Amino acid sequence: MSGDGHLLGVMMVCGHRIDGASLYVRSADPDKRVASWTADQALQPGLTTWTLDSPAAGWVATGPSAPLTAGANYTLYGWTKDNSWSSASVSFTLADRDQLTPGNVRYIDLSVAGHASAVTVPVAEFEAKACHRS
């Protein structure tokens, strides 16, 4: 969440590149894409953020963007144009979004082998831990 209340996409690229990101409604229908963004240049290792609800410098929205709705479970993940790599995804609901405060990020913590769980932490902690696995 940005300081002015905009929902952010936050991605830590770990050792590979990422070309874009997509937001889906988790459902039985495999093509329930809500929005998709393509980076102007491939994202290299490191932290990147962009606003999900308005144009962001360095990103191009690809396709229509639908408003988020109550009761839906969303998944955000990063991808490459050639399908050679993708990021870990994170799922959230509007209730999860409403619990975010500026400077915090929700992500799937993969640091414990065999166990993945959604956690909300300060962005600095995410940046320090996101690429490390036990």
Side-chain angles (χ1 to χ4, degrees), residues 54-125:
S54 61
W59 292 87
V60 175
T62 52
S65 180
L68 303 182
T69 58
N73 193 343
Y74 297 94
T75 299
L76 177 68
Y77 79 101
W79 42 262
T80 57
K81 292 175 184 174
D82 64 3
N83 293 320
S84 62
W85 198 255
S86 64
S87 71
S89 63
V90 62
S91 295
F92 66 95
T93 63
L94 287 183
D96 297 323
R97 181 207 58 190
D98 292 345
Q99 292 179 8
L100 286 174
T101 57
N104 285 320
V105 62
R106 177 182 172 90
Y107 80 106
I108 301 300
D109 184 355
L110 302 171
S111 64
V112 180
H115 181 71
S117 61
V119 296
T120 300
V121 299
V123 171
E125 183 177 334

Side-chain angles (χ1 to χ4, degrees), residues 21-27 29-37 62-66 74-75 77 79:
S22 293
L23 180 65
Y24 284 87
V25 173
R26 292 183 62 190
S27 71
D29 181 349
D31 194 19
K32 292 288 255 181
R33 185 174 61 196
V34 175
S36 191
W37 304 266
T62 52
S65 180
Y74 297 94
T75 299
Y77 79 101
W79 42 262

